[in-house]
Amino acid sequence: MTLNRRLFLGTLASASAALSAPMVWGQAKPHVVVIGGGAGGATAARYLMKDSEGALDVTLIEPNATYYTCFFSNLYLGGFRDFDSLGHTYGKLADMGIKVVQDMATGVDRAARTVTLGNGDVLNYDRLVIAPGIDFVDDSVPGWSLDVAEVMPHAYKAGPQTQLLKSQVEAMPQGGTFAMVAPPNPYRCPPGPYERISMVAHLLKTNNPTGKILIFDPKENFSKRALFEEGWQKHYSGMVTWIGPDLGGANVEVRADTMEVIVDGEAEKVDVCNVIPAQKAGMIAATAGITDDAGWAPVDPASMRSKSDENIYVLGDASAQGDMPKSGFSANSQAKVAAMAIRGELTDSRVFPARYSNTCWSLIAPDDGVKVGASYEPTEEKIASVESFISETGEDAALRKSTYEESLGWYSGITADMFG
Amino acid sequence: MTGRRLFLAGLAFTLGLAPGVKADPLGDAEHGATLFKRQCAACHQIGPDAVNRIGPHLNGVFGRRLGGLDGFRYSNPMQQMGADGTDWTIERLDAYIENPRGFLPGTRMSFRGMTDGNDRSALIAFLRDWSDQPQDIPESAPTATRTEPQLPPEILAIEGDAEYGEYLSSECSTCHKRDGSDDGIPSILNWPEEDFVTAMHEYKSRLREHPVMQMMAGRLSNEEIAALAAFYATYGE
């Protein structure tokens, strides 16, 4: 009943909007529902709306009225951007005709092709795009849970957590210790933790030059490692200590009440503890029943379509697709492929071969930017890397400055590509 | 060398046009020609066959109204300054070349700026040679040659599928903004197709430096490059 009434009302609304084109009953437009308004979801909604030229109804479900990008949130930590500059709203997407619903998607009924919202509303869909980003794996760092995130922030979803971490770093006692518990693979934004270390080091260098930074890392290696280590040596000599798995980095627990990190059984007292736990697809992907044992949603490499459901597409961090890193750039790239595939199915528009790419810029110190990137193509089993590049150690200051400036241009470009 | 140039520049400043010396208070036009080839010629042409490309041709730029060439699509701020009656003078060219966006916020010229004053005066001297001494143009023909290698005509002749180009362009717009603004990353709107195709092939063959662009161009076929060029040639007009 609810469904029918909503459909009826929705149809009325569109009919009155398009005065010159009276609606014919039974010829409602195909409806695409997009869950998540980040780099994957916002881009998908925008391209679906823009390119279908009115042939599709598009609904975007996002709980936040203002979306804060996780990418560039480290630059806020380092004092290179203000917090507001990370915030984006959905007004331009709504102006295009996308129905923006500020709510949480709480359920997916794949048989009935419906999505349930936090307020109890039920939306029907012809195609569903799931782009919820990440959630954290419970108990991946013993002693840490979301309950202690106010004491030991993750700051790995941009917003109040990012602000909390910054205020904690600024309040650190002189000569104090900042600890990061780095995540195991795969996780969002591979260079992110290490860019964050650089930004914290930059803050400490200015305000707290005797401060120390410890990284406890379960990984043997990390993204752009040679570049970061070169930069830390050059700009923050003696400040940063990386503790890999051979020294106990994989055997870490935390105690929020005493602000301790326990490494191989030995307690280390710290002043700030940034715990970035192991990650999995945002919860709605699991709720929809499209995730694998590792907690990610496998997709068809050629289209980003869920391997579990032909009416569902999964974008960005939540997807298990192969070689692409979990990044805003990747999600944006995948969204365009999925939008094209969905349009092709629902409106018979031309479908071109999928192509994907990614570049991740990181800032090490003022005007010292580096980047890593690759192009990708679908194969039978996965999205596979075709060609890649990475900044080199020893690059001159002018090139590093230009790389940083390029990253600012990219931020401006991708946020316009997402939010209009 | 720098010392001598500085010294000469200082002399020229104090003495003005010394009698008997073809002193150029502006700087060394030959050096300017080299700078032009290196830093300007990818977008601007100058000389007998010069036409508008990515940037407007620069014959006769001295005294020309800002945004004053017919048939070139200037940024709005440039047109506005022209409409206000502003002409290109040495001082304005100097300021613009030093810091294009500082002089003219919103300009479509994707050039970082030239900080060295001697270089700027040399470049301006070179530009002036093509402005108030038109009889000299044939002698300076080499400066009018394109710096890029010519592509085989069959590649330039490919007619691009603009609809395919529109799809491919979604890969560009992650960085290159669709409104044509350029902040750290250049605008690629409304480039003449031939220039677009040439630039992409230069990235592909790694004649042009830039790892992201080399990667992006590296996997584009000739047809795909043509498709993108066809799409961007008219996009946003």
Side-chain angles (χ1 to χ4, degrees):
Chain A
M1 285 306 281
T2 321
L3 270 179
N4 287 338
R5 200 185 52 186
R6 184 162 301 102
L7 259 178
F8 175 72
L9 287 173
T11 310
L12 266 189
S14 358
S16 58
L19 285 173
S20 58
M23 202 71 191
V24 179
W25 296 113
Q27 293 193 351
K29 292 177 195 171
H31 186 203
V32 184
V33 173
V34 180
I35 299 176
T43 306
R46 184 164 170 269
Y47 273 74
L48 283 164
M49 198 72 211
K50 174 171 83 66
D51 294 340
S52 69
E53 294 169 350
L56 294 175
D57 282 332
V58 180
T59 301
L60 178 63
I61 303 169
E62 161 63 42
N64 300 301
T66 301
Y67 181 88
Y68 291 92
T69 59
C70 210
F71 46 94
F72 268 38
S73 64
N74 282 330
L75 272 60
Y76 156 75
L77 275 179
F80 294 91
R81 286 186 91 86
D82 62 39
F83 190 68
D84 288 345
S85 76
L86 304 174
H88 303 270
T89 55
Y90 296 95
K92 287 185 185 163
L93 297 187
D95 290 345
M96 295 172 76
I98 295 168
K99 189 176 176 202
V100 180
V101 178
Q102 193 192 328
D103 204 339
M104 193 86 183
T106 55
V108 175
D109 183 335
R110 285 161 45 192
R113 284 193 286 157
T114 61
V115 175
T116 307
L117 303 183
N119 67 5
D121 278 2
V122 178
L123 304 178
N124 68 326
Y125 63 79
D126 293 291
R127 293 293 181 278
L128 177 63
V129 177
I130 298 187
I134 53 155
D135 268 315
F136 300 119
V137 176
D138 291 340
D139 300 323
S140 70
V141 178
W144 192 90
S145 69
L146 282 175
D147 295 338
V148 300
E150 293 300 307
V151 182
M152 293 184 163
H154 57 78
Y156 228 60
K157 297 180 183 183
Q161 277 276 302
T162 324
Q163 293 174 298
L164 174 64
L165 184 64
K166 184 171 163 96
S167 66
Q168 289 186 348
V169 175
E170 286 168 344
M172 246 172 75
Q174 288 296 310
T177 300
F178 173 99
M180 170 187 281
V181 179
N185 288 320
Y187 62 96
R188 157 181 287 183
C189 189
Y194 311 98
E195 179 184 56
R196 173 171 296 174
I197 291 298
S198 309
M199 294 295 94
V200 170
H202 170 71
L203 269 189
L204 294 184
K205 188 180 178 180
T206 320
N207 305 327
N208 190 349
T210 54
K212 296 281 179 221
I213 296 175
L214 302 175
I215 313 165
F216 300 103
D217 207 325
K219 303 184 292 297
E220 298 282 351
N221 219 328
F222 58 87
S223 174
K224 299 181 187 165
R225 179 171 177 180
L227 295 166
F228 280 116
E229 290 186 339
E230 177 196 50
W232 295 341
Q233 182 63 36
K234 179 178 173 193
H235 302 290
Y236 318 113
S237 181
M239 187 180 270
V240 182
T241 306
W242 182 79
I243 296 135
D246 52 341
L247 294 173
N251 182 20
V252 169
E253 65 174 277
V254 296
R255 290 178 192 153
D257 49 349
T258 54
M259 283 306 285
E260 286 177 307
V261 181
I262 319 297
V263 187
D264 269 348
E266 278 192 41
E268 184 88 37
K269 185 97 175 86
V270 301
D271 298 288
V272 177
C273 189
N274 174 207
V275 177
I276 309 175
Q279 295 162 25
K280 60 183 180 182
M283 192 167 58
I284 192 70
T287 307
I290 56 168
T291 51
D292 61 14
D293 292 343
W296 307 101
V299 293
D300 165 28
S303 65
M304 302 305 292
R305 184 203 304 270
S306 164
K307 285 188 171 170
S308 310
D309 190 320
E310 62 178 8
N311 297 313
I312 297 181
Y313 290 75
V314 187
L315 301 177
D317 295 353
S319 65
Q321 31 69 23
D323 293 349
M324 295 182 81
K326 298 184 185 301
S327 73
F329 197 125
S330 292
N332 170 271
S333 172
Q334 294 160 5
K336 293 161 187 173
V337 170
M340 176 186 59
I342 291 169
R343 271 199 310 125
E345 286 174 359
L346 297 179
T347 71
D348 287 333
S349 61
R350 282 171 78 182
V351 176
F352 300 105
R355 47 202 312 136
Y356 304 97
S357 52
N358 176 65
T359 300
C360 291
W361 287 265
S362 302
L363 186 62
I364 297 177
D367 290 331
D368 191 355
V370 292
K371 60 188 169 189
V372 60
S375 56
Y376 303 86
E377 66 185 17
T379 64
E380 287 281 303
E381 93 231 50
K382 65 171 183 177
I383 297 180
S385 173
V386 180
E387 192 192 341
S388 64
F389 68 86
I390 183 165
S391 296
E392 291 170 15
T393 52
E395 287 172 344
D396 66 35
L399 178 54
R400 290 295 179 87
K401 182 168 193 280
S402 141
T403 301
Y404 172 57
E405 285 165 359
E406 185 180 274
S407 76
L408 301 179
W410 166 75
Y411 187 86
S412 169
I414 192 173
T415 50
D417 208 33
M418 290 162 61
F419 300 105
Chain B
M1 284 306 280
T2 315
R4 202 185 53 176
R5 189 171 308 121
L6 269 175
F7 174 70
L8 285 175
L11 266 189
F13 216 81
T14 39
L15 299 179
L17 291 167
V21 185
K22 207 192 165 195
D24 195 333
L26 284 165
D28 175 0
E30 244 176 79
H31 178 52
T34 311
L35 290 169
F36 184 88
K37 271 194 216 174
R38 238 188 272 146
Q39 303 199 34
C40 317
C43 297
H44 291 284
Q45 293 190 356
I46 196 164
D49 303 320
V51 293
N52 295 335
R53 305 298 302 193
I54 296 164
H57 78 72
L58 296 175
N59 293 343
V61 68
F62 273 75
R64 187 200 288 170
R65 186 62 46 92
L66 267 70
L69 278 183
D70 288 341
F72 186 78
R73 187 169 170 273
Y74 292 96
S75 64
N76 290 335
M78 182 75 86
Q79 289 179 35
Q80 187 58 49
M81 274 186 100
D84 293 344
T86 316
D87 293 333
W88 283 118
T89 60
I90 293 176
E91 293 76 18
R92 290 192 186 119
L93 282 167
D94 188 58
Y96 188 51
I97 295 166
E98 181 178 16
N99 182 356
R101 283 175 212 135
F103 176 77
L104 192 66
T107 179
R108 287 178 56 216
M109 183 163 84
S110 300
F111 179 59
R112 179 181 303 280
M114 191 179 275
T115 47
D116 186 322
N118 289 319
D119 283 351
R120 286 202 306 280
S121 51
L123 181 61
I124 292 169
F126 169 73
L127 294 175
R128 201 179 65 162
D129 281 353
W130 296 98
S131 279
D132 53 7
Q133 296 167 296
Q135 69 275 20
D136 290 347
I137 286 177
E139 292 167 26
S140 301
T143 58
T145 55
R146 292 163 63 93
T147 52
E148 308 99 41
Q150 291 288 349
L151 284 167
E154 60 271 22
I155 287 183
L156 290 171
I158 298 170
E159 200 166 319
D161 173 349
E163 195 184 343
Y164 187 29
E166 180 171 13
Y167 164 63
L168 294 171
S169 79
S170 68
E171 197 162 29
C172 313
S173 63
T174 305
C175 298
H176 298 278
K177 292 177 75 171
R178 286 189 188 270
D179 65 5
S181 59
D182 53 354
D183 179 18
I185 290 179
S187 167
I188 52 173
L189 267 49
N190 307 128
W191 283 29
E193 287 185 54
E194 186 181 331
D195 293 357
F196 195 104
V197 170
T198 303
M200 293 301 278
H201 279 279
E202 286 180 353
Y203 284 122
K204 191 171 173 170
S205 61
R206 307 194 170 239
L207 282 171
R208 284 199 193 200
E209 290 294 337
H210 195 278
V212 180
M213 285 310 304
Q214 288 175 348
M215 178 183 84
M216 292 295 180
R219 63 168 169 172
L220 292 171
S221 68
N222 296 343
E223 286 71 22
E224 287 168 335
I225 288 174
L228 276 168
F231 171 71
Y232 274 114
T234 55
Y235 183 81
E237 278 188 341

